[in-house]
CSV table of all heavy atoms in Angstrom, one decimal:
chain,number,residue,atom,x,y,z
A,1,MET,N,85.0,116.0,129.5
A,1,MET,CA,85.0,115.6,128.1
A,1,MET,C,83.7,114.7,127.9
A,1,MET,O,83.4,113.8,128.7
A,1,MET,CB,86.2,114.8,127.8
A,1,MET,CG,86.3,114.3,126.4
A,1,MET,SD,87.5,113.0,126.2
A,1,MET,CE,89.1,113.9,126.2
A,2,ALA,N,83.0,114.9,126.8
A,2,ALA,CA,81.9,114.1,126.6
A,2,ALA,C,82.2,112.7,126.2
A,2,ALA,O,83.2,112.5,125.4
A,2,ALA,CB,81.0,114.8,125.5
A,3,THR,N,81.5,111.7,126.6
A,3,THR,CA,81.8,110.3,126.2
A,3,THR,C,80.6,109.7,125.6
A,3,THR,O,80.3,108.6,125.8
A,3,THR,CB,82.2,109.5,127.5
A,3,THR,OG1,81.1,109.7,128.4
A,3,THR,CG2,83.5,110.0,128.1
A,4,SER,N,79.9,110.5,124.8
A,4,SER,CA,78.7,110.1,124.2
A,4,SER,C,78.9,109.5,122.8
A,4,SER,O,78.0,109.0,122.1
A,4,SER,CB,77.7,111.2,124.0
A,4,SER,OG,78.3,112.2,123.3
A,5,ASN,N,80.2,109.4,122.4
A,5,ASN,CA,80.5,108.9,121.1
A,5,ASN,C,80.7,107.4,121.1
A,5,ASN,O,81.7,106.8,120.7
A,5,ASN,CB,81.7,109.6,120.4
A,5,ASN,CG,82.9,109.5,121.3
A,5,ASN,OD1,82.8,109.2,122.5
A,5,ASN,ND2,84.1,109.8,120.7
A,6,ARG,N,79.8,106.7,121.7
A,6,ARG,CA,79.9,105.3,121.9
A,6,ARG,C,79.9,104.6,120.5
A,6,ARG,O,79.1,105.0,119.7
A,6,ARG,CB,78.7,104.8,122.7
A,6,ARG,CG,78.9,103.4,123.2
A,6,ARG,CD,77.7,103.0,124.1
A,6,ARG,NE,77.6,103.8,125.3
A,6,ARG,CZ,76.7,103.5,126.3
A,6,ARG,NH1,75.9,102.6,126.1
A,6,ARG,NH2,76.7,104.3,127.3
A,7,GLY,N,80.7,103.6,120.4
A,7,GLY,CA,80.7,102.9,119.1
A,7,GLY,C,81.8,103.4,118.1
A,7,GLY,O,82.1,102.8,117.1
A,8,MET,N,82.3,104.6,118.5
A,8,MET,CA,83.4,105.1,117.6
A,8,MET,C,84.7,104.9,118.3
A,8,MET,O,84.9,105.2,119.5
A,8,MET,CB,83.1,106.6,117.5
A,8,MET,CG,84.1,107.3,116.6
A,8,MET,SD,83.7,109.0,116.4
A,8,MET,CE,84.6,109.4,114.9
A,9,ASN,N,85.6,104.2,117.7
A,9,ASN,CA,86.8,103.9,118.4
A,9,ASN,C,87.8,105.1,118.4
A,9,ASN,O,87.7,106.0,117.6
A,9,ASN,CB,87.4,102.6,117.9
A,9,ASN,CG,88.3,102.7,116.7
A,9,ASN,OD1,89.1,103.6,116.6
A,9,ASN,ND2,88.2,101.8,115.8
A,10,PRO,N,88.7,105.1,119.3
A,10,PRO,CA,89.5,106.3,119.5
A,10,PRO,C,90.4,106.6,118.3
A,10,PRO,O,90.7,107.7,118.0
A,10,PRO,CB,90.4,105.9,120.7
A,10,PRO,CG,89.7,104.7,121.4
A,10,PRO,CD,88.9,104.1,120.3
A,11,LEU,N,90.8,105.5,117.5
A,11,LEU,CA,91.6,105.8,116.3
A,11,LEU,C,90.8,106.5,115.3
A,11,LEU,O,91.3,107.5,114.7
A,11,LEU,CB,92.0,104.4,115.7
A,11,LEU,CG,92.9,103.6,116.6
A,11,LEU,CD1,93.4,102.4,115.8
A,11,LEU,CD2,94.1,104.4,117.1
A,12,ASP,N,89.5,106.2,115.2
A,12,ASP,CA,88.7,106.9,114.2
A,12,ASP,C,88.5,108.4,114.7
A,12,ASP,O,88.5,109.3,113.9
A,12,ASP,CB,87.3,106.3,114.1
A,12,ASP,CG,87.4,105.0,113.3
A,12,ASP,OD1,88.4,104.8,112.6
A,12,ASP,OD2,86.5,104.2,113.4
A,13,ALA,N,88.4,108.6,116.0
A,13,ALA,CA,88.2,109.9,116.5
A,13,ALA,C,89.4,110.8,116.2
A,13,ALA,O,89.3,111.9,115.8
A,13,ALA,CB,87.9,109.9,118.0
A,14,LEU,N,90.6,110.2,116.4
A,14,LEU,CA,91.8,111.0,116.2
A,14,LEU,C,91.9,111.3,114.7
A,14,LEU,O,92.3,112.4,114.3
A,14,LEU,CB,93.0,110.2,116.6
A,14,LEU,CG,93.4,110.3,118.1
A,14,LEU,CD1,94.5,109.3,118.4
A,14,LEU,CD2,93.9,111.7,118.4
A,15,ARG,N,91.6,110.3,113.9
A,15,ARG,CA,91.7,110.5,112.4
A,15,ARG,C,90.8,111.6,112.0
A,15,ARG,O,91.2,112.5,111.2
A,15,ARG,CB,91.4,109.2,111.7
A,15,ARG,CG,91.7,109.2,110.2
A,15,ARG,CD,91.1,108.0,109.5
A,15,ARG,NE,89.7,107.9,109.7
A,15,ARG,CZ,89.0,106.8,109.6
A,15,ARG,NH1,89.6,105.7,109.3
A,15,ARG,NH2,87.7,106.8,109.8
A,16,ASP,N,89.6,111.6,112.5
A,16,ASP,CA,88.7,112.7,112.1
A,16,ASP,C,89.2,114.0,112.6
A,16,ASP,O,89.0,115.0,111.9
A,16,ASP,CB,87.3,112.4,112.8
A,16,ASP,CG,86.5,111.3,112.1
A,16,ASP,OD1,87.0,110.8,111.0
A,16,ASP,OD2,85.5,111.0,112.5
A,17,ARG,N,89.8,114.1,113.7
A,17,ARG,CA,90.4,115.3,114.2
A,17,ARG,C,91.4,115.9,113.2
A,17,ARG,O,91.4,117.0,112.8
A,17,ARG,CB,90.9,115.2,115.6
A,17,ARG,CG,91.0,116.5,116.2
A,17,ARG,CD,91.5,116.3,117.6
A,17,ARG,NE,92.9,116.0,117.7
A,17,ARG,CZ,93.6,115.7,118.8
A,17,ARG,NH1,93.0,115.7,119.9
A,17,ARG,NH2,94.9,115.4,118.7
A,18,TYR,N,92.3,115.0,112.8
A,18,TYR,CA,93.3,115.4,111.8
A,18,TYR,C,92.7,115.8,110.5
A,18,TYR,O,93.1,116.7,109.8
A,18,TYR,CB,94.4,114.3,111.6
A,18,TYR,CG,95.4,114.4,112.6
A,18,TYR,CD1,95.7,113.5,113.6
A,18,TYR,CD2,96.2,115.6,112.7
A,18,TYR,CE1,96.6,113.6,114.6
A,18,TYR,CE2,97.2,115.8,113.6
A,18,TYR,CZ,97.4,114.8,114.6
A,18,TYR,OH,98.3,115.0,115.5
A,19,ALA,N,91.7,115.0,110.1
A,19,ALA,CA,91.0,115.4,108.8
A,19,ALA,C,90.4,116.7,108.8
A,19,ALA,O,90.3,117.4,107.8
A,19,ALA,CB,90.0,114.3,108.5
A,20,GLU,N,90.0,117.2,110.0
A,20,GLU,CA,89.4,118.5,110.1
A,20,GLU,C,90.5,119.6,110.2
A,20,GLU,O,90.3,120.6,109.6
A,20,GLU,CB,88.6,118.6,111.4
A,20,GLU,CG,87.2,118.0,111.2
A,20,GLU,CD,86.4,118.1,112.5
A,20,GLU,OE1,86.7,119.0,113.4
A,20,GLU,OE2,85.5,117.3,112.7
A,21,VAL,N,91.5,119.4,111.0
A,21,VAL,CA,92.5,120.5,111.2
A,21,VAL,C,93.5,120.6,110.1
A,21,VAL,O,94.1,121.7,109.9
A,21,VAL,CB,93.2,120.4,112.6
A,21,VAL,CG1,92.2,120.4,113.7
A,21,VAL,CG2,94.1,119.1,112.6
A,22,GLU,N,93.8,119.6,109.4
A,22,GLU,CA,94.8,119.6,108.4
A,22,GLU,C,94.3,119.1,107.1
A,22,GLU,O,94.4,117.9,106.8
A,22,GLU,CB,96.0,118.8,108.9
A,22,GLU,CG,97.3,119.1,108.0
A,22,GLU,CD,98.5,118.5,108.7
A,22,GLU,OE1,98.6,118.5,109.9
A,22,GLU,OE2,99.4,118.1,107.9
A,23,THR,N,93.8,120.0,106.3
A,23,THR,CA,93.2,119.6,105.0
A,23,THR,C,94.1,120.1,103.9
A,23,THR,O,93.8,119.8,102.7
A,23,THR,CB,91.8,120.2,104.8
A,23,THR,OG1,91.9,121.6,104.9
A,23,THR,CG2,90.9,119.6,105.9
A,24,GLU,N,95.1,120.9,104.2
A,24,GLU,CA,95.9,121.5,103.1
A,24,GLU,C,97.3,120.8,103.0
A,24,GLU,O,98.0,120.6,104.0
A,24,GLU,CB,96.1,123.0,103.5
A,24,GLU,CG,96.5,123.8,102.2
A,24,GLU,CD,96.3,125.3,102.6
A,24,GLU,OE1,95.2,125.7,102.7
A,24,GLU,OE2,97.4,125.9,102.7
A,25,CYS,N,97.7,120.5,101.8
A,25,CYS,CA,99.0,119.9,101.6
A,25,CYS,C,100.1,120.9,101.9
A,25,CYS,O,100.1,122.0,101.4
A,25,CYS,CB,99.1,119.4,100.2
A,25,CYS,SG,100.7,118.8,99.8
A,26,PRO,N,101.1,120.5,102.7
A,26,PRO,CA,102.1,121.5,103.1
A,26,PRO,C,103.1,121.7,101.9
A,26,PRO,O,103.8,122.7,101.9
A,26,PRO,CB,102.9,120.8,104.2
A,26,PRO,CG,102.6,119.4,104.1
A,26,PRO,CD,101.2,119.3,103.5
A,27,ALA,N,103.1,120.8,100.9
A,27,ALA,CA,104.0,121.0,99.8
A,27,ALA,C,103.4,121.8,98.7
A,27,ALA,O,104.1,122.7,98.1
A,27,ALA,CB,104.3,119.6,99.3
A,28,CYS,N,102.1,121.6,98.3
A,28,CYS,CA,101.6,122.3,97.2
A,28,CYS,C,100.4,123.2,97.5
A,28,CYS,O,99.9,123.9,96.7
A,28,CYS,CB,101.2,121.3,96.0
A,28,CYS,SG,99.8,120.3,96.4
A,29,GLY,N,99.9,123.0,98.7
A,29,GLY,CA,98.7,123.8,99.1
A,29,GLY,C,97.4,123.3,98.7
A,29,GLY,O,96.4,124.0,98.9
A,30,TYR,N,97.4,122.2,98.1
A,30,TYR,CA,96.1,121.6,97.6
A,30,TYR,C,95.2,121.3,98.8
A,30,TYR,O,95.7,120.7,99.8
A,30,TYR,CB,96.4,120.3,96.9
A,30,TYR,CG,95.1,119.6,96.4
A,30,TYR,CD1,94.6,119.9,95.2
A,30,TYR,CD2,94.5,118.6,97.2
A,30,TYR,CE1,93.4,119.3,94.7
A,30,TYR,CE2,93.4,118.0,96.7
A,30,TYR,CZ,92.8,118.4,95.5
A,30,TYR,OH,91.7,117.7,95.1
A,31,GLU,N,94.0,121.7,98.8
A,31,GLU,CA,93.1,121.5,99.9
A,31,GLU,C,92.2,120.4,99.6
A,31,GLU,O,91.5,120.4,98.6
A,31,GLU,CB,92.3,122.8,100.2
A,31,GLU,CG,91.7,122.8,101.5
A,31,GLU,CD,91.3,124.1,102.1
A,31,GLU,OE1,91.9,125.1,101.7
A,31,GLU,OE2,90.3,124.2,102.8
A,32,ASP,N,92.2,119.4,100.5
A,32,ASP,CA,91.4,118.2,100.3
A,32,ASP,C,90.5,118.1,101.5
A,32,ASP,O,90.9,117.6,102.6
A,32,ASP,CB,92.4,117.1,100.2
A,32,ASP,CG,91.6,115.7,100.0
A,32,ASP,OD1,90.4,115.8,99.8
A,32,ASP,OD2,92.3,114.7,100.1
A,33,ASP,N,89.2,118.5,101.4
A,33,ASP,CA,88.3,118.5,102.5
A,33,ASP,C,88.0,117.1,103.0
A,33,ASP,O,87.6,116.9,104.1
A,33,ASP,CB,87.0,119.2,102.1
A,33,ASP,CG,87.2,120.7,102.0
A,33,ASP,OD1,88.2,121.2,102.7
A,33,ASP,OD2,86.5,121.3,101.2
A,34,ASP,N,88.1,116.1,102.1
A,34,ASP,CA,87.7,114.8,102.5
A,34,ASP,C,89.0,114.0,102.8
A,34,ASP,O,89.1,112.9,102.4
A,34,ASP,CB,87.1,113.9,101.5
A,34,ASP,CG,85.9,114.3,101.0
A,34,ASP,OD1,85.2,114.7,101.8
A,34,ASP,OD2,85.8,114.2,99.8
A,35,GLY,N,90.0,114.6,103.3
A,35,GLY,CA,91.3,114.0,103.5
A,35,GLY,C,91.2,112.6,104.0
A,35,GLY,O,90.5,112.2,104.9
A,36,THR,N,91.8,111.7,103.2
A,36,THR,CA,91.8,110.3,103.6
A,36,THR,C,93.0,109.9,104.3
A,36,THR,O,94.0,109.4,103.8
A,36,THR,CB,91.7,109.5,102.3
A,36,THR,OG1,92.7,109.9,101.4
A,36,THR,CG2,90.3,109.6,101.7
A,37,TRP,N,92.9,110.1,105.6
A,37,TRP,CA,94.0,109.7,106.5
A,37,TRP,C,93.9,108.2,106.7
A,37,TRP,O,92.8,107.7,107.0
A,37,TRP,CB,94.0,110.4,107.8
A,37,TRP,CG,94.3,111.8,107.7
A,37,TRP,CD1,93.4,112.9,107.6
A,37,TRP,CD2,95.6,112.4,107.8
A,37,TRP,NE1,94.1,114.1,107.5
A,37,TRP,CE2,95.4,113.8,107.7
A,37,TRP,CE3,96.9,111.9,108.0
A,37,TRP,CZ2,96.5,114.7,107.7
A,37,TRP,CZ3,98.0,112.8,108.0
A,37,TRP,CH2,97.8,114.2,107.9
A,38,VAL,N,95.1,107.6,106.6
A,38,VAL,CA,95.1,106.1,106.9
A,38,VAL,C,95.9,105.9,108.2
A,38,VAL,O,97.0,106.4,108.3
A,38,VAL,CB,95.8,105.4,105.7
A,38,VAL,CG1,95.9,103.9,106.0
A,38,VAL,CG2,95.0,105.6,104.4
A,39,GLY,N,95.2,105.2,109.1
A,39,GLY,CA,95.9,105.1,110.4
A,39,GLY,C,96.3,103.6,110.6
A,39,GLY,O,95.6,102.7,110.2
A,40,GLU,N,97.4,103.5,111.3
A,40,GLU,CA,97.8,102.1,111.7
A,40,GLU,C,98.4,102.2,113.1
A,40,GLU,O,99.0,103.3,113.4
A,40,GLU,CB,98.7,101.4,110.7
A,40,GLU,CG,100.0,102.2,110.5
A,40,GLU,CD,100.8,101.4,109.5
A,40,GLU,OE1,100.3,100.8,108.6
A,40,GLU,OE2,102.1,101.5,109.6
A,41,THR,N,98.3,101.2,113.9
A,41,THR,CA,98.9,101.3,115.2
A,41,THR,C,99.6,100.0,115.6
A,41,THR,O,99.2,98.9,115.1
A,41,THR,CB,97.8,101.5,116.3
A,41,THR,OG1,98.3,101.6,117.6
A,41,THR,CG2,96.7,100.4,116.2
A,42,ASP,N,100.6,100.1,116.4
A,42,ASP,CA,101.3,98.9,117.0
A,42,ASP,C,100.9,98.7,118.4
A,42,ASP,O,101.6,98.0,119.1
A,42,ASP,CB,102.8,99.0,116.7
A,42,ASP,CG,103.4,100.1,117.5
A,42,ASP,OD1,102.7,100.8,118.3
A,42,ASP,OD2,104.6,100.3,117.3
A,43,GLY,N,100.0,99.5,118.9
A,43,GLY,CA,99.6,99.4,120.3
A,43,GLY,C,100.2,100.5,121.2
A,43,GLY,O,99.7,100.8,122.2
A,44,ALA,N,101.3,101.0,120.8
A,44,ALA,CA,102.0,102.0,121.6
A,44,ALA,C,101.8,103.4,120.9
A,44,ALA,O,101.8,104.4,121.6
A,44,ALA,CB,103.5,101.7,121.8
A,45,GLU,N,101.7,103.4,119.6
A,45,GLU,CA,101.5,104.7,119.0
A,45,GLU,C,100.7,104.5,117.7
A,45,GLU,O,100.6,103.3,117.2
A,45,GLU,CB,102.9,105.3,118.7
A,45,GLU,CG,103.7,104.5,117.8
A,45,GLU,CD,105.1,105.1,117.5
A,45,GLU,OE1,105.5,106.0,118.4
A,45,GLU,OE2,105.7,104.9,116.5
A,46,VAL,N,100.2,105.6,117.2
A,46,VAL,CA,99.4,105.5,116.0
A,46,VAL,C,100.1,106.3,114.9
A,46,VAL,O,100.5,107.4,115.2
A,46,VAL,CB,98.0,106.1,116.1
A,46,VAL,CG1,97.1,105.7,115.0
A,46,VAL,CG2,97.4,105.5,117.4
A,47,ARG,N,100.1,105.8,113.7
A,47,ARG,CA,100.7,106.6,112.6
A,47,ARG,C,99.6,106.8,111.6
A,47,ARG,O,99.0,105.9,111.2
A,47,ARG,CB,101.9,105.8,112.0
A,47,ARG,CG,102.6,106.5,110.9
A,47,ARG,CD,103.7,105.6,110.4
A,47,ARG,NE,104.2,106.1,109.1
A,47,ARG,CZ,105.1,107.1,108.9
A,47,ARG,NH1,105.6,107.7,110.0
A,47,ARG,NH2,105.5,107.4,107.7
A,48,TYR,N,99.5,108.1,111.2
A,48,TYR,CA,98.5,108.5,110.2
A,48,TYR,C,99.3,109.0,109.0
A,48,TYR,O,100.2,109.8,109.1
A,48,TYR,CB,97.6,109.6,110.7
A,48,TYR,CG,96.7,109.1,111.8
A,48,TYR,CD1,97.0,109.3,113.1
A,48,TYR,CD2,95.5,108.4,111.5
A,48,TYR,CE1,96.1,108.8,114.1
A,48,TYR,CE2,94.7,108.0,112.4
A,48,TYR,CZ,95.0,108.2,113.8
A,48,TYR,OH,94.1,107.7,114.7
A,49,GLU,N,98.8,108.6,107.8
A,49,GLU,CA,99.4,109.1,106.6
A,49,GLU,C,98.3,109.5,105.6
A,49,GLU,O,97.2,109.0,105.6
A,49,GLU,CB,100.2,107.9,105.9
A,49,GLU,CG,101.5,107.6,106.6
A,49,GLU,CD,102.3,106.6,105.8
A,49,GLU,OE1,101.8,106.1,104.8
A,49,GLU,OE2,103.4,106.3,106.3
A,50,ARG,N,98.7,110.4,104.8
A,50,ARG,CA,97.8,110.9,103.8
A,50,ARG,C,98.6,111.2,102.5
A,50,ARG,O,99.6,111.8,102.6
A,50,ARG,CB,97.0,112.1,104.2
A,50,ARG,CG,95.9,112.4,103.2
A,50,ARG,CD,95.2,113.7,103.6
A,50,ARG,NE,96.0,114.8,103.6
A,50,ARG,CZ,95.6,116.1,103.9
A,50,ARG,NH1,94.4,116.3,104.3
A,50,ARG,NH2,96.5,117.1,103.8
A,51,ASP,N,98.1,110.7,101.4
A,51,ASP,CA,98.8,111.1,100.1
A,51,ASP,C,98.0,112.3,99.5
A,51,ASP,O,96.8,112.3,99.4
A,51,ASP,CB,98.6,109.9,99.1
A,51,ASP,CG,99.3,108.7,99.6
A,51,ASP,OD1,100.2,108.8,100.5
A,51,ASP,OD2,99.0,107.6,99.1
A,52,CYS,N,98.8,113.2,99.1
A,52,CYS,CA,98.2,114.4,98.4
A,52,CYS,C,97.8,113.9,97.0
A,52,CYS,O,98.6,113.4,96.3
A,52,CYS,CB,99.2,115.5,98.3
A,52,CYS,SG,98.6,116.9,97.4
A,53,PRO,N,96.5,114.2,96.7
A,53,PRO,CA,96.0,113.7,95.4
A,53,PRO,C,96.6,114.6,94.3
A,53,PRO,O,96.5,114.3,93.1
A,53,PRO,CB,94.5,113.9,95.5
A,53,PRO,CG,94.3,114.8,96.6
A,53,PRO,CD,95.4,114.7,97.5
A,54,SER,N,97.1,115.7,94.6
A,54,SER,CA,97.6,116.7,93.6
A,54,SER,C,99.1,116.4,93.3
A,54,SER,O,99.5,116.3,92.2
A,54,SER,CB,97.4,118.1,94.1
A,54,SER,OG,97.9,119.0,93.1
A,55,CYS,N,99.9,116.4,94.3
A,55,CYS,CA,101.4,116.3,94.1
A,55,CYS,C,102.0,115.0,94.6
A,55,CYS,O,103.1,114.6,94.3
A,55,CYS,CB,102.1,117.5,94.8
A,55,CYS,SG,102.2,117.4,96.6
A,56,GLY,N,101.2,114.2,95.4
A,56,GLY,CA,101.6,112.9,95.8
A,56,GLY,C,102.4,112.9,97.1
A,56,GLY,O,102.9,111.8,97.5
A,57,LYS,N,102.6,114.0,97.7
A,57,LYS,CA,103.4,114.1,98.9
A,57,LYS,C,102.7,113.3,100.0
A,57,LYS,O,101.5,113.5,100.2
A,57,LYS,CB,103.6,115.5,99.3
A,57,LYS,CG,104.4,115.6,100.6
A,57,LYS,CD,104.7,117.0,101.0
A,57,LYS,CE,105.3,117.1,102.4
A,57,LYS,NZ,106.6,116.3,102.5
A,58,VAL,N,103.4,112.6,100.8
A,58,VAL,CA,102.8,111.9,101.9
A,58,VAL,C,103.1,112.7,103.1
A,58,VAL,O,104.2,113.0,103.5
A,58,VAL,CB,103.5,110.5,102.1
A,58,VAL,CG1,102.9,109.8,103.3
A,58,VAL,CG2,103.2,109.6,100.8
A,59,THR,N,102.0,113.0,103.8
A,59,THR,CA,102.0,113.7,105.1
A,59,THR,C,101.8,112.7,106.2
A,59,THR,O,100.8,111.9,106.1
A,59,THR,CB,101.0,114.8,105.2
A,59,THR,OG1,101.1,115.7,104.0
A,59,THR,CG2,101.1,115.6,106.4
A,60,ALA,N,102.6,112.7,107.2
A,60,ALA,CA,102.4,111.7,108.3
A,60,ALA,C,102.5,112.3,109.6
A,60,ALA,O,103.1,113.3,109.9
A,60,ALA,CB,103.6,110.6,108.1
A,61,HIS,N,101.7,111.7,110.5
A,61,HIS,CA,101.7,112.1,111.9
A,61,HIS,C,101.9,110.9,112.7
A,61,HIS,O,101.2,109.9,112.5
A,61,HIS,CB,100.4,112.8,112.3
A,61,HIS,CG,100.3,114.2,111.8
A,61,HIS,ND1,101.0,115.2,112.4
A,61,HIS,CD2,99.5,114.8,110.9
A,61,HIS,CE1,100.7,116.4,111.8
A,61,HIS,NE2,99.8,116.1,110.8
A,62,THR,N,102.7,110.9,113.7
A,62,THR,CA,102.7,109.8,114.7
A,62,THR,C,102.3,110.3,116.0
A,62,THR,O,102.8,111.3,116.5
A,62,THR,CB,104.2,109.3,114.7
A,62,THR,OG1,104.6,108.9,113.4
A,62,THR,CG2,104.2,108.0,115.6
A,63,ILE,N,101.4,109.6,116.6
A,63,ILE,CA,100.9,110.0,117.9
A,63,ILE,C,101.2,108.9,118.9
A,63,ILE,O,100.8,107.7,118.7
A,63,ILE,CB,99.3,110.2,117.8
A,63,ILE,CG1,99.0,111.3,116.8
A,63,ILE,CG2,98.8,110.6,119.2
A,63,ILE,CD1,97.6,111.2,116.4
A,64,SER,N,101.8,109.2,120.0
A,64,SER,CA,102.1,108.2,121.0
A,64,SER,C,100.9,108.3,122.0
A,64,SER,O,100.4,109.3,122.4
A,64,SER,CB,103.4,108.6,121.7
A,64,SER,OG,103.6,107.8,122.8
A,65,PHE,N,100.6,107.1,122.5
A,65,PHE,CA,99.5,107.1,123.5
A,65,PHE,C,100.0,107.6,124.9
A,65,PHE,O,99.2,108.0,125.7
A,65,PHE,CB,98.9,105.7,123.7
A,65,PHE,CG,98.1,105.2,122.5
A,65,PHE,CD1,98.4,104.0,121.8
A,65,PHE,CD2,97.1,106.0,122.0
A,65,PHE,CE1,97.7,103.6,120.7
A,65,PHE,CE2,96.4,105.6,120.9
A,65,PHE,CZ,96.7,104.4,120.3
A,66,GLY,N,101.3,107.6,125.0
A,66,GLY,CA,101.9,108.2,126.2
A,66,GLY,C,101.4,107.6,127.6
A,66,GLY,O,101.0,108.4,128.4
A,67,ARG,N,101.3,106.3,127.6
A,67,ARG,CA,100.9,105.7,128.9
A,67,ARG,C,102.0,105.8,130.0
A,67,ARG,O,103.1,105.7,129.7
A,67,ARG,CB,100.5,104.3,128.7
A,67,ARG,CG,99.1,104.2,128.2
A,67,ARG,CD,98.7,102.8,128.1
A,67,ARG,NE,99.3,102.2,126.9
A,67,ARG,CZ,99.1,101.0,126.4
A,67,ARG,NH1,98.3,100.2,127.0
A,67,ARG,NH2,99.6,100.6,125.3
B,101,ZN,ZN1,100.4,118.4,97.5
C-alpha cells in the first residue's frame, strides 16, 4: 500500500473513498458527485453520514477500526 499521502488523515481518506463509491441516494436515486459525507469518531469507530439534497434521506456508514 502506498503511503505517500502524507498530511492527509485517515478519516479524510475513508471519507473520500465513500464519496467515490457511493454517490447515489438509495432512496430516490439522486446522484451527488460531490457527496458531502460528514464523519465523526469516538476513537473506536467512525460514523459517516450524508443527507440527500433531493429527498433528505440520511445515509450512514459506521466503520470500526477493529483493533
Ligand atoms: Zn434521495
Side-chain angles (χ1 to χ4, degrees):
M1 186 199 281
T3 54
S4 58
N5 57 344
R6 195 179 294 186
M8 185 175 195
N9 87 42
L11 297 186
D12 288 343
L14 275 173
R15 187 188 60 203
D16 283 357
R17 199 176 71 183
Y18 274 115
E20 279 179 23
V21 300
E22 192 168 327
T23 58
E24 199 170 290
C25 172
C28 72
Y30 180 87
E31 196 163 329
D32 181 8
D33 289 333
D34 299 318
T36 49
W37 290 93
V38 178
E40 59 181 32
T41 180
D42 64 3
E45 61 183 26
V46 191
R47 180 177 165 85
Y48 290 97
E49 287 185 356
R50 188 181 65 180
D51 297 341
C52 175
S54 178
C55 72
K57 177 175 173 63
V58 177
T59 305
H61 284 288
T62 303
I63 301 162
S64 170
F65 290 129
R67 274 181 287 184

